[in-house]
Amino acid sequence: MKKTNLLLLTLLIFGIFFLPVVNANEHNSDSTAVIYYNEACGMCSDYLNQVTEKLTNLGIKNIEVKDYVNFKEYRKELLATNKQENIPPSLQGHLVTIVGNKFFEGHVPMNLIEEALKLDDKILIYQDKMSKATTFDVWMFKG
C-alpha cells in the first residue's frame, strides 16, 4: 500500500512540475497556419518567405498560403473569417497570417509573432506598413 501511495505521489509531482513545460515547448508542433496574401505585391512576397521560414522554425508543420486577390474563394473565406471573429476593418491588413487563435495583420515583425505564439490568449497584432514600422496595434478579443 505504501509503494502505491509513493508511486502516485511521484506521478503527481512529475505532472505538476514537468508536464506544463513539455506542453509549452510543443505548443505549436501540430499547428496549422493560414496566410492570405496578394501575389502581385513584391514586398509581400519577401515577407511571406520570412514568415513561412519563421513559422517552420517554430515547429508549425502545416502552412497554407492563399492568394486572395487572384482566387475569389480565398477572398470570401477571409471575409467570412473577419466577420466571424468580429475583426474591425481598421485592424484588417493587406496580408494576414492566422495561427490557431492568433491573427497577424500586415507585416508584423517576426519577434512579435514568436512572442505572441507563446501566449494562450486570443490576440490580433496589426502592422500594415510595408517597411520601417515603428508602431503596431494589439487587440485582445473579448470572452
Side-chain angles (χ1 to χ4, degrees), residues 18-37:
F18 295 106
L19 287 181
V21 173
V22 171
N23 287 339
N25 289 336
E26 295 178 0
H27 179 70
N28 292 312
S29 63
D30 294 325
S31 293
T32 297
V34 180
I35 303 170
Y36 295 94
Y37 82 110

Side-chain angles (χ1 to χ4, degrees), residues 27-28 31-34 60 81 85 97-104 117 121-123:
H27 179 70
N28 292 312
S31 293
T32 297
V34 180
I60 296 172
T81 298
E85 299 296 338
T97 303
I98 303 170
V99 182
N101 63 353
K102 313 291 186 277
F103 297 80
F104 305 105
L117 289 174
D121 299 313
K122 187 174 185 179
I123 189 171

Side-chain angles (χ1 to χ4, degrees), residues 13-104:
I13 290 171
F14 178 81
I16 291 171
F17 290 106
F18 295 106
L19 287 181
V21 173
V22 171
N23 287 339
N25 289 336
E26 295 178 0
H27 179 70
N28 292 312
S29 63
D30 294 325
S31 293
T32 297
V34 180
I35 303 170
Y36 295 94
Y37 82 110
N38 176 357
E39 185 180 39
C41 176
M43 293 185 94
C44 289
S45 294
D46 292 341
Y47 181 82
L48 180 63
N49 291 334
Q50 292 173 25
V51 76
T52 301
E53 181 179 348
K54 173 56 92 175
L55 294 174
T56 301
N57 290 340
L58 292 173
I60 296 172
K61 302 192 184 321
N62 302 312
I63 302 172
E64 294 181 63
V65 178
K66 299 181 176 188
D67 177 5
Y68 70 88
V69 173
N70 292 315
F71 296 93
K72 290 180 183 178
E73 63 272 17
Y74 295 152
R75 186 170 33 240
K76 289 178 185 177
E77 194 176 288
L78 179 57
L79 289 171
T81 298
N82 287 333
K83 184 176 181 178
Q84 177 184 339
E85 299 296 338
N86 294 314
I87 298 173
S90 61
L91 292 176
Q92 294 176 20
H94 68 282
L95 183 144
V96 182
T97 303
I98 303 170
V99 182
N101 63 353
K102 313 291 186 277
F103 297 80
F104 305 105

Side-chain angles (χ1 to χ4, degrees), residues 109-128:
M110 296 304 125
N111 62 325
L112 290 179
I113 290 175
E114 185 170 0
E115 291 303 312
L117 289 174
K118 294 177 185 177
L119 302 173
D120 290 329
D121 299 313
K122 187 174 185 179
I123 189 171
L124 181 147
I125 301 176
Y126 173 85
Q127 192 300 110
D128 213 31

Side-chain angles (χ1 to χ4, degrees), residues 1-17:
M1 189 69 153
K2 286 187 177 188
K3 286 184 180 181
T4 304
N5 288 342
L6 182 60
L7 178 62
L8 289 173
L9 180 61
T10 303
L11 289 173
L12 179 64
I13 290 171
F14 178 81
I16 291 171
F17 290 106

